[in-house]
Amino acid sequence: MRFGANNTELDVGAGTAGLFGPQMELNRCKWRCSEAKRVLVEFDSSTYRRLELEDAFLGDDLQQNLDFHDSSMNGLLLGMIEEIQQGCPHGELFAESLSHGLIRHVHYHHGASRKSAAALEGKSRFDAQQFSRLKEYVRANLSAKITMHNIADAVGVNQAFLFRGFRNTFACSPYQYVLSERIAAAKRMLAYGKLPLVDIALMTGFSSHSHFSMVFSRQMGLSPTEFALKCRA
């Protein structure tokens, strides 16, 4: 790699990550391993503002590091890659949850003010009224497109607080919470109704019958048809 007038040679392996700061000018980058897959992610100011994270992180300088390993960060990146390769079947809320998770993780572990950011993370929980609004909104809109912006409006908080609230109250992401509500509703329909699977999929907010079957099987260890038959046995 060439930075200005300086050359830097790195011997990196699978899973190696690098953080390039905003003031770092990369003039040339040459890789000697043609079969390696490289993932480049840019954090720009518009992303922070769209996710309502500018107050918490936009002024926090990331600690430049050209060679480190972070398995949690890699897991989030692999989740993004898999979702894109599959045609984004899990929808916008899944992408937003991954984006929030990635930005937060990078700042908490590689930011200049990571200690104060981590302290802020632990202070946000939903109170009884916020939880009631959240539950009411999600259950009333299972068949619709649910986004973090919509949930935040219904609960009466911003997206930054919302993500922390899910983590600290339920130990999950917004997507995981909504998914659990969708699976619970689908289980009730399968156990007590006779609706076609395609109708259940649409009524519980899944993108297709096949997507519903895949996610349900992954969560329950049984296909929707197998679960329905077991309930009625």
Side-chain angles (χ1 to χ4, degrees):
M1 296 183 182
R2 186 175 181 84
F3 309 102
N6 300 316
N7 289 326
T8 299
E9 184 170 332
L10 300 174
D11 183 13
V12 299
T16 302
L19 279 176
F20 299 83
Q23 306 304 322
M24 186 176 190
E25 183 178 354
L26 179 62
N27 294 329
R28 187 175 61 184
C29 181
K30 183 176 181 181
W31 301 88
R32 294 178 182 171
C33 182
S34 59
E35 297 182 1
K37 293 183 179 180
R38 299 177 293 277
V39 180
L40 300 178
V41 178
E42 180 180 2
F43 291 176
D44 60 30
S45 58
S46 64
T47 301
Y48 286 81
R49 293 189 177 94
R50 177 171 53 82
L51 299 176
E52 298 181 356
L53 293 171
E54 66 271 26
D55 291 340
F57 300 121
L58 197 52
D60 179 40
D61 293 329
L62 296 176
Q63 301 300 291
Q64 187 166 288
N65 189 343
L66 304 184
D67 182 4
F68 67 95
H69 288 266
D70 187 327
S71 59
S72 296
M73 184 181 74
N74 289 349
L76 290 166
L77 291 172
L78 289 173
M80 290 180 171
I81 294 169
E82 181 180 351
E83 177 72 359
I84 293 170
Q85 290 176 337
Q86 292 178 356
C88 303
H90 296 90
E92 186 173 342
L93 184 61
F94 181 74
E96 290 175 329
S97 294
L98 281 178
S99 298
H100 268 268
L102 179 61
I103 290 175
R104 289 176 179 280
H105 178 85
V106 169
H107 279 279
Y108 292 155
H109 295 275
H110 307 286
S113 56
R114 52 189 178 274
K115 289 184 179 179
S116 58
L120 175 65
E121 174 75 5
K123 294 181 178 180
S124 304
R125 294 179 183 273
F126 296 131
D127 60 28
Q129 187 176 46
Q130 290 167 340
F131 173 65
S132 178
R133 291 173 180 169
L134 167 65
K135 183 170 63 174
E136 180 180 357
Y137 174 80
V138 171
R139 292 184 178 179
N141 291 276
L142 286 179
S143 63
K145 175 183 175 182
I146 297 176
T147 67
M148 285 191 62
H149 177 76
N150 293 339
I151 301 174
D153 276 354
V155 176
V157 298
N158 62 28
Q159 292 183 56
F161 183 98
L162 186 77
F163 191 91
R164 296 196 305 269
F166 273 106
R167 285 294 184 192
N168 294 328
T169 308
F170 308 116
C172 69
S173 70
Y175 171 79
Q176 290 167 330
Y177 176 87
V178 172
L179 177 61
S180 68
E181 290 289 334
R182 285 177 164 152
I183 292 293
K187 287 167 62 179
R188 291 191 293 271
M189 294 180 190
L190 290 167
Y192 303 113
K194 296 183 180 180
L195 290 171
L197 292 183
V198 64
D199 290 344
I200 294 176
L202 293 175
M203 292 172 68
T204 51
F206 291 92
S207 59
S208 65
H209 172 208
S210 60
H211 179 230
F212 167 59
S213 296
M214 178 192 70
V215 174
F216 189 94
S217 299
R218 184 183 298 170
Q219 293 287 317
M220 300 303 301
L222 295 171
S223 70
T225 299
E226 290 170 337
F227 180 84
L229 291 173
K230 183 178 180 180
C231 290
R232 297 166 191 171

